Amino acid sequence: MAKLVIFLALCLLPALAAARPGLPARTFFTVQGRVYCDTCRCGFETPYTKYMQGAKVRVECKDRDSMKLLYTADGVTDKDGTYKILVADDHQDQICESVLVSSPHSECATIETGRERARVFLTNNNGIASATRYANNLGFMKDAPVAGCSELLRQYQEYED
């Protein structure tokens, strides 16, 4: 009986919350991206890059003028290093970003400058039909490069103009 009550609550409560008489239906977005460990410390993803399970990520929305934080939602990456964070409501007049919070690995916990946040547009007024918003990948750097990185970087230099 308790399982039935819980099942009904999980199915009906979201529907009731979304159906607000006299008010427009709520908008929900899913912010999706990946978190990686830059194992070669080169500032970009390589074939040696490892995607991180258990990294914590936050979606933050701030007021455009005051930059006051108005909304947050947290998420954690899965085994493929992917996070999917559900965000309620349209944030048309706000600046929203996916932001790295923490790494689950102490040897790869240094936030990579320039890859610590990614802007996302959380509004229906931008021509995107899907409710999924894809953020650029976010990255941490390993304390020391793994074996093979020097050779990989030499190969990249061979193709420079």
Side-chain angles (χ1 to χ4, degrees):
M1 184 64 176
K3 288 181 183 179
L4 179 63
V5 171
I6 291 171
F7 174 76
L8 289 174
L10 290 174
C11 292
L12 294 178
L13 286 178
L16 292 174
R20 302 176 295 174
L23 297 175
R26 284 188 90 171
T27 301
F28 289 93
F29 297 99
T30 300
V31 176
Q32 182 176 331
R34 293 180 87 187
V35 176
Y36 66 89
C37 178
D38 181 356
T39 56
C40 287
R41 298 184 53 88
C42 49
F44 52 88
E45 294 167 80
T46 69
Y48 292 138
T49 295
K50 301 291 182 203
Y51 294 92
M52 302 175 72
Q53 179 178 3
K56 294 181 182 172
V57 179
R58 177 174 292 138
V59 172
E60 297 180 347
C61 295
K62 298 177 182 178
D63 179 78
R64 287 185 184 278
D65 298 322
S66 68
M67 295 305 288
K68 179 182 176 185
L69 187 62
L70 301 174
Y71 181 89
T72 63
D74 294 324
V76 178
T77 56
D78 64 15
K79 65 180 178 55
D80 298 317
T82 301
Y83 62 89
K84 294 178 182 178
I85 302 174
L86 188 65
V87 176
D89 299 324
D90 193 295
H91 296 271
Q92 178 178 355
D93 296 325
Q94 299 170 16
I95 296 172
C96 299
E97 298 175 308
S98 289
V99 181
L100 283 176
V101 175
S102 65
S103 169
H105 305 293
S106 60
E107 72 283 353
C108 192
T110 303
I111 292 175
E112 194 166 337
T113 304
R115 301 294 288 237
E116 71 276 7
R117 58 185 57 241
R119 179 89 39 109
V120 288
F121 296 98
L122 299 177
T123 182
N124 283 323
N125 296 332
N126 60 6
I128 301 173
S130 170
T132 301
R133 300 298 191 260
Y134 295 96
N136 289 338
N137 291 349
L138 305 173
F140 293 98
M141 278 196 298
K142 194 158 178 67
D143 293 340
V146 297
C149 288
S150 297
E151 179 59 32
L152 177 69
L153 293 176
R154 272 195 292 280
Q155 289 175 357
Y156 284 161
Q157 289 175 343
E158 288 177 11
Y159 296 106
E160 264 188 25
D161 290 333

